[in-house]
Amino acid sequence: MMAFALWQGMLYAQIQEAGMGGLLHDLGKIRVPIDILKKREQLNDNDWALLRMHVAFTQQVLQTLPSAPSSQTMLRAMREHHERLDGSGYPDGLRGESIGQEGRMLAICDVFDAMTSERAYHNAVEPRKVLNVLMEACHQDNHLDRELVEKFVRCIGIYPTGTLVRLENGYLGVVLRNDPKDLLHPAIRIVKDGQGRKLSTPKRLDLCESSDMKGWRIVGSETPLRAELDPRHYLPGATHYFTT
Ligand SMILES: [Fe+2]
């Protein structure tokens, strides 16, 4: 969400607020029974009703916090992250531009995050594939803001951060960051060698600096499931935001 806000040319304070909104928008899920959040079977009407309540719960929980974010723009975006342009979203069934820009941005980030994350009811999908799905979806239906989706795709890049990439020489790397001017050559952390052995000390490599070296070219991507590793372990600061 912060990267997207930065990409949109927002000001520093707005980028900070965007980050806060991205972190806290689903906070209300702590009041939704865990068996609904982790249910593998299809949700029934009651489950859906409770799940949808998480938007209102977020507002209630935020009110109990001593230092809750006070930005009205971001509080509104958090309330609007499940609204859809055609009015099919919730909680208010808002349409089109009556959903704020930040709410429309948060909706895109939320869908991207949900699809690229491991959940009880689905396996994580490669970030690159999710970008394709988002692009196709916004041409077929009127849920997400097409112009913003196109910007998001450009912002996230061809190999989004966290993508597992296979190199010509068989090595496997995790994308750490992208240079918007050279999306084909991200900075990666090498995690497996050409024989598929995990490196005891994963090494960082800027592919833009080794683009003329034979073998160090991205030839495809890999799923965490097939590679049998979690790319999030190799991202900077990963231990701060998840535990396994
Ligand atoms: Fe949500």
Side-chain angles (χ1 to χ4, degrees), residues 148-179:
L148 282 176
V149 168
E150 284 169 2
K151 282 186 183 169
F152 181 75
V153 170
R154 280 199 294 278
C155 156
I156 294 292
I158 301 168
Y159 302 111
T161 301
T163 304
L164 278 164
V165 287
R166 175 83 57 200
L167 304 178
E168 203 169 15
N169 55 19
Y171 278 58
L172 199 67
V174 175
V175 174
L176 300 178
R177 68 187 309 258
N178 274 287
D179 175 353

Side-chain angles (χ1 to χ4, degrees), residues 3-96:
F4 196 12
L6 179 67
W7 188 257
Q8 289 273 79
M10 289 185 172
L11 302 172
Y12 183 79
Q14 294 172 308
I15 296 169
Q16 273 192 318
E17 285 171 6
M20 201 54 86
L23 282 171
L24 299 176
H25 71 288
D26 269 345
L27 186 63
K29 282 190 178 169
I30 59 171
R31 290 201 179 161
V32 177
I34 192 80
D35 50 328
I36 292 181
L37 297 178
K38 297 210 159 179
K39 198 166 179 178
R40 287 170 178 272
E41 309 85 58
Q42 233 180 350
L43 300 185
N44 61 36
D45 289 350
N46 273 348
D47 296 338
W48 272 116
L50 255 171
L51 186 61
R52 287 183 171 149
M53 288 290 290
H54 80 274
V55 177
F57 291 155
T58 298
Q59 290 179 307
Q60 291 167 11
V61 176
L62 282 174
Q63 280 164 10
T64 66
L65 299 179
S67 55
S70 55
S71 156
Q72 289 306 311
T73 312
M74 213 24 75
L75 290 171
R76 178 180 166 195
M78 285 193 262
R79 183 169 173 85
E80 293 176 347
H81 77 275
H82 285 291
E83 298 290 354
R84 296 295 180 256
L85 297 191
D86 62 355
S88 64
Y90 63 90
D92 300 315
L94 300 177
R95 284 177 177 272

Side-chain angles (χ1 to χ4, degrees), residues 172-232:
L172 199 67
V174 175
V175 174
L176 300 178
R177 68 187 309 258
N178 274 287
D179 175 353
K181 292 190 216 82
D182 188 2
L183 291 173
L184 286 173
H185 300 104
I188 63 172
R189 197 177 302 285
I190 306 286
V191 289
K192 279 189 179 181
D193 67 14
Q195 276 74 49
R197 292 176 297 221
K198 265 192 194 178
L199 301 193
S200 51
T201 319
K203 257 180 67 175
R204 185 189 159 114
L205 180 70
D206 284 324
L207 290 177
C208 58
E209 288 165 16
S210 54
S211 56
D212 47 356
M213 280 160 52
K214 202 171 156 32
W216 297 99
R217 186 175 67 88
I218 296 176
V219 290
S221 55
E222 194 62 274
T223 62
L225 203 64
R226 267 205 312 260
E228 295 177 332
L229 53 81
D230 186 341
R232 294 177 302 172

